[in-house]
Amino acid sequence: MLKRLAQLSLFGAEPPAAVPSLAGAVSPSSPSNPLCALQLGGHPVAYELRRARRRSIGFVVGREGLRVSAPRWLPQADIERALLQKADWILRKLLEQTERARRVDAARIEWRDGGMLKFLGQPVWLRLDPGFSGVRLDESGSLILLGLPLSATETQVRDAVQAWLKRRARSVFEPRCQQFAQALGVQMKQLRLSSAQTRWGSASSDGSIRLNWRLIHFAPDIIDYVVAHELAHLREMNHSPRFWAVVASVLPDYQVARGHLRDQSITAE
Ligand SMILES: [Zn+2]
Protein backbone atom coordinates (compact mmCIF):
# COMPACT_ATOMS: atom_id res chain seq x y z
CA MET A 1 0.00 0.00 0.00
CA LEU A 2 1.22 3.42 -0.79
CA LYS A 3 -0.02 6.23 1.34
CA ARG A 4 0.21 9.94 1.04
CA LEU A 5 2.98 11.28 3.18
CA ALA A 6 2.50 14.98 2.78
CA GLN A 7 -0.07 17.33 1.42
CA LEU A 8 2.12 18.63 -1.35
CA SER A 9 1.16 18.97 -4.93
CA LEU A 10 1.00 16.96 -8.08
CA PHE A 11 1.85 19.81 -10.32
CA GLY A 12 3.78 22.54 -8.62
CA ALA A 13 6.85 20.65 -7.50
CA GLU A 14 9.49 23.24 -8.32
CA PRO A 15 11.47 24.49 -5.33
CA PRO A 16 10.59 27.90 -3.92
CA ALA A 17 12.51 30.82 -5.36
CA ALA A 18 12.99 32.33 -1.94
CA VAL A 19 12.31 31.41 1.64
CA PRO A 20 8.66 32.28 2.05
CA SER A 21 7.63 34.75 4.69
CA LEU A 22 6.33 33.16 7.84
CA ALA A 23 4.06 36.05 8.61
CA GLY A 24 1.46 34.85 6.15
CA ALA A 25 1.57 31.35 7.51
CA VAL A 26 0.20 32.14 10.87
CA SER A 27 -3.44 33.05 11.03
CA PRO A 28 -4.97 31.03 13.82
CA SER A 29 -8.65 30.79 13.22
CA SER A 30 -10.29 30.19 16.54
CA PRO A 31 -11.54 33.53 17.87
CA SER A 32 -12.04 32.10 21.35
CA ASN A 33 -8.36 31.95 22.26
CA PRO A 34 -6.05 34.94 22.48
CA LEU A 35 -3.50 35.57 19.76
CA CYS A 36 0.02 36.18 20.93
CA ALA A 37 3.20 36.95 19.04
CA LEU A 38 6.92 36.86 19.56
CA GLN A 39 10.16 36.86 17.58
CA LEU A 40 11.60 33.44 16.80
CA GLY A 41 14.93 33.37 15.01
CA GLY A 42 14.27 36.85 13.66
CA HIS A 43 10.78 36.02 12.37
CA PRO A 44 7.63 37.46 13.87
CA VAL A 45 5.50 34.46 14.77
CA ALA A 46 1.90 34.72 15.89
CA TYR A 47 0.31 31.91 17.79
CA GLU A 48 -2.96 30.96 19.37
CA LEU A 49 -2.68 30.35 23.09
CA ARG A 50 -5.03 27.88 24.68
CA ARG A 51 -5.07 27.61 28.44
CA ALA A 52 -6.00 24.15 29.57
CA ARG A 53 -5.92 21.80 32.51
CA ARG A 54 -2.62 20.20 31.74
CA ARG A 55 0.83 19.96 33.23
CA SER A 56 3.03 20.64 30.25
CA ILE A 57 3.16 22.93 27.22
CA GLY A 58 2.03 21.48 23.92
CA PHE A 59 2.83 22.81 20.43
CA VAL A 60 0.92 22.05 17.27
CA VAL A 61 1.74 23.48 13.86
CA GLY A 62 -1.10 23.00 11.42
CA ARG A 63 -2.67 24.74 8.48
CA GLU A 64 -3.87 27.49 10.80
CA GLY A 65 -0.39 28.14 12.13
CA LEU A 66 1.04 27.60 15.58
CA ARG A 67 -1.19 26.65 18.48
CA VAL A 68 0.17 26.45 22.00
CA SER A 69 -1.60 24.73 24.86
CA ALA A 70 -0.33 25.61 28.29
CA PRO A 71 -1.33 25.04 31.91
CA ARG A 72 -3.58 27.78 33.25
CA TRP A 73 -1.16 28.76 36.00
CA LEU A 74 1.95 29.09 33.83
CA PRO A 75 3.25 32.66 33.42
CA GLN A 76 3.44 34.04 29.89
CA ALA A 77 7.23 34.46 30.26
CA ASP A 78 7.61 30.70 30.80
CA ILE A 79 5.56 29.97 27.72
CA GLU A 80 7.73 32.30 25.66
CA ARG A 81 10.86 30.69 27.02
CA ALA A 82 9.58 27.27 25.97
CA LEU A 83 8.76 28.64 22.51
CA LEU A 84 12.28 30.01 22.16
CA GLN A 85 13.71 26.63 23.12
CA LYS A 86 11.58 25.01 20.42
CA ALA A 87 12.22 27.79 17.90
CA ASP A 88 14.05 25.65 15.33
CA TRP A 89 11.35 23.01 15.27
CA ILE A 90 8.53 25.58 15.14
CA LEU A 91 10.13 27.57 12.32
CA ARG A 92 10.80 24.43 10.34
CA LYS A 93 7.19 23.25 10.71
CA LEU A 94 5.81 26.69 9.82
CA LEU A 95 7.97 26.78 6.69
CA GLU A 96 6.73 23.33 5.74
CA GLN A 97 3.15 24.50 6.13
CA THR A 98 3.77 27.59 4.01
CA GLU A 99 5.38 25.47 1.31
CA ARG A 100 2.52 23.01 1.45
CA ALA A 101 -0.09 25.73 1.07
CA ARG A 102 1.86 27.22 -1.84
CA ARG A 103 2.07 23.87 -3.60
CA VAL A 104 -1.58 23.05 -3.08
CA ASP A 105 -2.37 26.45 -4.56
CA ALA A 106 -0.11 25.82 -7.54
CA ALA A 107 -1.70 22.39 -8.00
CA ARG A 108 -5.16 23.77 -8.55
CA ILE A 109 -6.13 23.10 -12.14
CA GLU A 110 -8.06 25.83 -13.86
CA TRP A 111 -10.84 24.02 -15.66
CA ARG A 112 -11.21 26.39 -18.58
CA ASP A 113 -9.84 27.07 -22.03
CA GLY A 114 -6.08 27.54 -21.59
CA GLY A 115 -5.96 25.68 -18.27
CA MET A 116 -2.93 23.43 -17.77
CA LEU A 117 -2.47 20.03 -16.23
CA LYS A 118 0.16 17.31 -16.25
CA PHE A 119 -0.44 14.20 -18.30
CA LEU A 120 2.16 11.42 -18.03
CA GLY A 121 4.47 13.98 -16.50
CA GLN A 122 4.16 16.49 -19.35
CA PRO A 123 2.24 19.76 -19.35
CA VAL A 124 -0.86 19.78 -21.54
CA TRP A 125 -3.26 22.65 -22.11
CA LEU A 126 -7.03 22.54 -22.41
CA ARG A 127 -8.55 23.83 -25.64
CA LEU A 128 -12.31 24.27 -25.79
CA ASP A 129 -13.99 24.35 -29.17
CA PRO A 130 -17.52 23.18 -30.03
CA GLY A 131 -16.09 22.31 -33.47
CA PHE A 132 -14.32 19.32 -31.92
CA SER A 133 -16.18 16.24 -30.87
CA GLY A 134 -15.54 14.43 -27.62
CA VAL A 135 -12.18 14.73 -25.90
CA ARG A 136 -8.83 13.86 -27.41
CA LEU A 137 -5.15 14.69 -27.36
CA ASP A 138 -3.94 16.60 -30.41
CA GLU A 139 -1.06 15.28 -32.54
CA SER A 140 1.56 17.34 -30.73
CA GLY A 141 0.49 15.78 -27.44
CA SER A 142 0.37 19.17 -25.77
CA LEU A 143 -3.33 20.04 -26.17
CA ILE A 144 -6.41 18.31 -24.86
CA LEU A 145 -9.13 19.19 -27.35
CA LEU A 146 -12.59 19.38 -25.83
CA GLY A 147 -15.82 19.58 -27.79
CA LEU A 148 -17.30 22.19 -25.49
CA PRO A 149 -18.25 25.84 -25.99
CA LEU A 150 -16.06 28.50 -24.38
CA SER A 151 -19.02 29.23 -22.13
CA ALA A 152 -18.84 25.75 -20.57
CA THR A 153 -18.76 25.79 -16.78
CA GLU A 154 -15.75 24.65 -14.77
CA THR A 155 -17.71 21.59 -13.69
CA GLN A 156 -18.51 20.64 -17.27
CA VAL A 157 -14.87 21.00 -18.28
CA ARG A 158 -13.58 19.13 -15.24
CA ASP A 159 -16.05 16.26 -15.66
CA ALA A 160 -15.21 15.85 -19.35
CA VAL A 161 -11.44 15.98 -18.78
CA GLN A 162 -11.49 13.70 -15.75
CA ALA A 163 -13.61 11.09 -17.53
CA TRP A 164 -11.07 11.14 -20.36
CA LEU A 165 -8.13 10.95 -17.91
CA LYS A 166 -9.70 7.92 -16.22
CA ARG A 167 -10.10 6.15 -19.56
CA ARG A 168 -6.51 6.95 -20.43
CA ALA A 169 -5.38 5.82 -16.98
CA ARG A 170 -6.91 2.41 -17.53
CA SER A 171 -5.39 2.01 -20.96
CA VAL A 172 -1.95 3.06 -19.68
CA PHE A 173 -2.01 1.07 -16.41
CA GLU A 174 -3.39 -2.19 -17.83
CA PRO A 175 -0.39 -3.15 -20.02
CA ARG A 176 2.09 -2.01 -17.36
CA CYS A 177 0.33 -4.29 -14.86
CA GLN A 178 0.48 -7.19 -17.27
CA GLN A 179 4.17 -6.67 -17.91
CA PHE A 180 5.11 -6.41 -14.23
CA ALA A 181 2.84 -9.29 -13.21
CA GLN A 182 4.65 -11.48 -15.69
CA ALA A 183 8.07 -10.28 -14.54
CA LEU A 184 7.14 -10.93 -10.90
CA GLY A 185 5.46 -14.25 -11.59
CA VAL A 186 2.18 -13.17 -10.01
CA GLN A 187 -1.40 -13.30 -11.20
CA MET A 188 -3.38 -10.10 -11.19
CA LYS A 189 -7.05 -11.02 -11.06
CA GLN A 190 -8.49 -7.55 -11.44
CA LEU A 191 -7.40 -3.96 -11.89
CA ARG A 192 -9.62 -1.27 -10.47
CA LEU A 193 -9.17 2.45 -10.57
CA SER A 194 -9.60 4.32 -7.33
CA SER A 195 -10.19 7.95 -6.44
CA ALA A 196 -8.83 7.52 -2.92
CA GLN A 197 -7.68 10.70 -1.29
CA THR A 198 -4.92 9.08 0.71
CA ARG A 199 -3.57 6.21 -1.35
CA TRP A 200 -1.82 5.76 -4.65
CA GLY A 201 -2.57 2.08 -4.78
CA SER A 202 -3.39 -1.04 -2.86
CA ALA A 203 -3.32 -4.78 -3.33
CA SER A 204 -5.47 -7.56 -1.88
CA SER A 205 -4.42 -11.12 -1.34
CA ASP A 206 -7.19 -12.22 -3.73
CA GLY A 207 -5.08 -10.77 -6.55
CA SER A 208 -6.93 -7.53 -7.15
CA ILE A 209 -5.05 -4.28 -7.51
CA ARG A 210 -6.33 -0.75 -7.11
CA LEU A 211 -4.50 2.16 -8.65
CA ASN A 212 -5.39 5.78 -8.18
CA TRP A 213 -6.38 7.17 -11.56
CA ARG A 214 -4.60 10.45 -10.71
CA LEU A 215 -1.31 8.64 -11.22
CA ILE A 216 -1.94 9.40 -14.90
CA HIS A 217 -0.61 12.90 -14.13
CA PHE A 218 2.83 11.41 -13.43
CA ALA A 219 5.72 10.37 -15.63
CA PRO A 220 5.70 6.68 -16.72
CA ASP A 221 8.52 5.68 -14.35
CA ILE A 222 6.47 6.84 -11.36
CA ILE A 223 3.46 4.86 -12.59
CA ASP A 224 5.71 1.82 -13.08
CA TYR A 225 6.93 2.11 -9.53
CA VAL A 226 3.40 2.10 -8.08
CA VAL A 227 2.40 -0.79 -10.36
CA ALA A 228 5.47 -2.82 -9.38
CA HIS A 229 4.97 -1.96 -5.71
CA GLU A 230 1.37 -3.16 -5.62
CA LEU A 231 2.03 -6.28 -7.65
CA ALA A 232 5.03 -7.12 -5.43
CA HIS A 233 2.52 -7.25 -2.57
CA LEU A 234 0.98 -10.29 -4.21
CA ARG A 235 4.23 -12.00 -3.24
CA GLU A 236 4.91 -10.19 0.05
CA MET A 237 1.96 -8.63 1.86
CA ASN A 238 4.16 -6.36 3.95
CA HIS A 239 6.93 -3.80 3.65
CA SER A 240 9.72 -6.06 4.88
CA PRO A 241 13.23 -6.12 3.37
CA ARG A 242 12.03 -9.19 1.44
CA PHE A 243 9.25 -7.11 -0.09
CA TRP A 244 11.68 -4.37 -1.19
CA ALA A 245 13.97 -7.01 -2.66
CA VAL A 246 11.03 -8.21 -4.78
CA VAL A 247 10.39 -4.64 -5.98
CA ALA A 248 14.11 -4.17 -6.73
CA SER A 249 14.15 -7.40 -8.73
CA VAL A 250 12.00 -5.75 -11.40
CA LEU A 251 12.84 -2.08 -10.76
CA PRO A 252 16.43 -1.73 -9.52
CA ASP A 253 16.09 2.09 -9.46
CA TYR A 254 12.78 2.13 -7.63
CA GLN A 255 14.18 4.43 -4.91
CA VAL A 256 14.27 7.35 -7.34
CA ALA A 257 10.59 7.08 -8.20
CA ARG A 258 9.72 6.37 -4.60
CA GLY A 259 11.49 9.52 -3.47
CA HIS A 260 9.73 11.55 -6.12
CA LEU A 261 6.33 10.19 -5.13
CA ARG A 262 7.01 11.08 -1.50
CA ASP A 263 7.05 14.74 -2.46
CA GLN A 264 3.69 14.54 -4.16
CA SER A 265 0.22 14.35 -2.90
CA ILE A 266 -3.17 13.48 -4.08
CA THR A 267 -5.12 16.61 -4.58
CA ALA A 268 -8.85 16.48 -5.04
CA GLU A 269 -10.00 18.60 -7.93
ZN1 LIG B 1 2.82 -1.15 -0.04
Side-chain angles (χ1 to χ4, degrees):
M1 183 191 296
L2 274 167
K3 285 195 170 181
R4 168 176 66 180
L5 291 171
Q7 181 66 43
L8 301 179
S9 102
L10 284 172
F11 312 101
E14 79 281 3
V19 175
S21 152
L22 285 168
V26 280
S27 53
S29 62
S30 168
S32 55
N33 295 312
L35 278 180
C36 307
L38 84 169
Q39 291 277 332
L40 287 182
H43 299 274
V45 171
Y47 61 95
E48 181 188 337
L49 179 59
R50 204 165 66 96
R51 294 288 189 168
R53 290 179 68 173
R54 52 181 294 153
R55 285 158 186 266
S56 60
I57 306 179
F59 307 94
V60 177
V61 176
R63 265 189 300 207
E64 312 299 338
L66 172 62
R67 185 148 35 102
V68 179
S69 304
R72 292 189 208 286
W73 45 265
L74 197 70
Q76 184 74 16
D78 287 11
I79 295 171
E80 294 195 356
R81 198 169 306 125
L83 282 165
L84 286 167
Q85 275 171 10
K86 280 264 187 186
D88 285 352
W89 180 86
I90 291 167
L91 289 172
R92 196 174 70 243
K93 291 289 165 193
L94 285 171
L95 272 174
E96 281 171 20
Q97 286 293 338
T98 309
E99 255 308 273
R100 190 164 298 177
R102 197 190 65 80
R103 290 182 191 220
V104 166
D105 237 33
R108 208 159 283 140
I109 297 173
E110 291 184 41
W111 300 106
R112 55 166 178 78
D113 188 67
M116 190 274 279
L117 57 88
K118 289 271 180 85
F119 177 67
L120 293 174
Q122 299 295 323
V124 291
W125 283 265
L126 306 177
R127 169 68 54 81
L128 271 61
D129 189 330
F132 302 126
S133 67
V135 184
R136 64 184 169 85
L137 206 59
D138 81 334
E139 285 110 47
S140 72
S142 62
L143 287 178
I144 295 176
L145 308 175
L146 288 146
L148 287 172
L150 284 168
S151 59
T153 65
E154 276 189 54
T155 309
Q156 285 174 311
V157 175
R158 187 196 62 206
D159 289 353
V161 175
Q162 288 192 341
W164 179 81
L165 287 171
K166 286 177 194 176
R167 289 197 298 278
R168 294 301 296 249
R170 181 165 283 283
S171 66
V172 168
F173 301 166
E174 199 85 72
R176 303 312 294 152
C177 286
Q178 272 154 24
Q179 183 178 323
F180 279 103
Q182 199 173 20
L184 287 161
V186 297
Q187 267 236 306
M188 184 186 73
K189 290 267 163 34
Q190 194 184 24
L191 168 64
R192 278 195 240 159
L193 294 185
S194 87
S195 303
Q197 295 300 308
T198 54
R199 282 179 200 172
W200 294 116
S202 61
S204 328
S205 48
D206 66 3
S208 62
I209 299 292
R210 278 171 182 270
L211 295 174
N212 197 303
W213 67 265
R214 290 187 171 89
L215 285 165
I216 197 66
H217 292 298
F218 292 122
D221 56 331
I222 309 287
I223 297 171
D224 277 359
Y225 163 65
V226 180
V227 167
H229 180 119
E230 298 310 338
L231 287 167
H233 277 316
L234 300 184
R235 273 174 53 185
E236 289 287 337
M237 269 296 170
N238 51 55
H239 291 124
S240 64
R242 275 209 313 271
F243 165 79
W244 291 111
V246 173
V247 176
S249 73
V250 287
L251 272 185
D253 289 339
Y254 78 87
Q255 295 276 20
V256 179
R258 189 183 176 208
H260 184 88
L261 198 57
R262 273 211 184 112
D263 290 342
Q264 313 298 322
S265 88
I266 295 166
T267 52
E269 285 112 33

